[in-house]
Amino acid sequence: MNIKILTPEFVVFEGDVKSVLLPGKNGDFHIMKDHAAIVASLIGGKVRVFTNEIDEKYAKNFTKENDKESVFSFPVKSGVIEFSNNKGIILAE
């Protein structure tokens, strides 16, 4: 599935991922391939991207969570996600 993370200043990430874990208003939620269409608000926390690697041009925006899994995180203050047909756009602040 393809995820794009945007802030008002720049493109944080764009690429294929296995899944993404997001900080929602009602708790963290995980979006995986073939997830139902959704639009949801995000609160402050970390957007965690599960992927084998992050392209070099986006790597500076992320922190690697641990050495065992390919989990990369990006802090957000708030935002929204729209996801459908295995494509997601995260607008974050």
Side-chain angles (χ1 to χ4, degrees), residues 25-80:
K25 286 193 173 195
N26 295 322
D28 289 353
F29 63 100
H30 209 142
I31 294 180
M32 301 171 90
K33 185 179 179 199
D34 298 327
H35 193 285
I38 186 172
V39 174
S41 297
L42 306 177
I43 61 169
K46 293 180 182 178
V47 171
R48 290 180 175 90
V49 176
F50 293 74
T51 186
N52 290 332
E53 62 182 351
I54 299 280
D55 189 290
E56 188 177 300
K57 65 183 171 183
Y58 302 123
K60 67 182 180 288
N61 302 322
F62 288 88
T63 301
K64 187 162 185 179
E65 290 283 309
N66 62 46
D67 291 330
K68 292 183 181 180
E69 296 180 45
S70 297
V71 182
F72 302 87
S73 65
F74 176 74
V76 296
K77 294 179 186 173
S78 64
V80 65

Side-chain angles (χ1 to χ4, degrees), residues 9 14 24:
E9 293 83 25
E14 182 175 6

Side-chain angles (χ1 to χ4, degrees), residues 1-2 34-37 83-88:
M1 63 184 218
N2 186 273
D34 298 327
H35 193 285
F83 183 86
S84 66
N85 299 318
N86 287 319
K87 293 183 181 181

